Amino acid sequence: MLEQRDIVPVAPDLIAGTAAAPVLLGSECRRCGTVTFPRQGACPRCTSTDVRERHLARRGTLWTWTVQRFRPKSPPYVGDDSEEFEPYGVGYVELPGEVRVEARLTESDPARLRIGMAMELTLIPAPGRAEVVTFAFRPVDER
Ligand SMILES: [Zn+2]
């Protein structure tokens, strides 16, 4: 779990590490090696229940992305109806040798997103829930 007491993840068993260096909690099948996120009690590939918790890589590459430009249907969207909607990036980040993770992106400018770019895990306030954090990926500054 996170070390900072003032940080509350949006769901249990999702995020570990620290606020500065969070990690996602996945699972890994001991029989066939399949990695999943979020954690699962059984392997989706071989159905084995011999799975262990795995801390996923903090960095990966952007596999595909889009920008959400209108308020999604609620639920599952939990943003405040009274606030103006802010477009946000969303995509799949491929963690090397592990799994593709669907996540929010901190970047919503299409000019700054490209498939294959390096991304790193970070935490952001959960939409509509200021005291709670969720995970997102941000572009890695390679300069
Ligand atoms: Zn398996």
Side-chain angles (χ1 to χ4, degrees):
M1 282 291 103
L2 294 165
E3 290 172 5
Q4 283 80 355
R5 286 201 184 88
D6 56 339
I7 298 218
V8 181
V10 69
D13 301 330
L14 194 66
I15 306 166
T18 66
V23 293
L24 294 177
L25 293 175
S27 53
E28 177 181 354
C29 177
R30 285 194 168 100
R31 187 194 287 173
C32 77
T34 295
V35 177
T36 60
F37 176 81
R39 261 169 39 175
Q40 294 187 24
C43 176
R45 186 170 170 210
C46 77
T47 72
S48 170
T49 54
D50 189 8
V51 294
R52 69 174 186 90
E53 180 179 287
R54 175 169 171 142
H55 287 195
L56 301 183
R58 300 192 58 246
R59 285 191 174 194
T61 54
L62 191 55
W63 187 70
T64 195
W65 60 272
T66 191
V67 175
Q68 179 73 35
R69 296 189 185 282
F70 57 89
R71 187 183 301 280
K73 191 174 175 180
S74 181
Y77 187 70
V78 292
D80 186 343
D81 279 350
S82 66
E83 291 172 9
E84 192 168 329
F85 178 75
E86 289 250 6
Y88 58 85
V90 61
Y92 281 91
V93 173
E94 179 144 45
L95 304 180
E98 293 182 327
V99 66
R100 287 179 195 137
V101 174
E102 183 183 4
R104 280 217 186 200
L105 308 177
T106 59
E107 183 58 65
S108 62
D109 179 355
R112 295 180 178 176
L113 291 168
R114 76 184 151 72
I115 288 171
M117 71 190 298
M119 304 295 283
E120 182 176 58
L121 186 70
T122 188
L123 299 177
I124 60 170
R129 300 174 67 186
E131 76 289 1
V132 175
V133 296
T134 190
F135 64 92
F137 280 87
R138 66 177 172 218
V140 175
D141 188 353
E142 291 170 309
R143 283 168 297 174

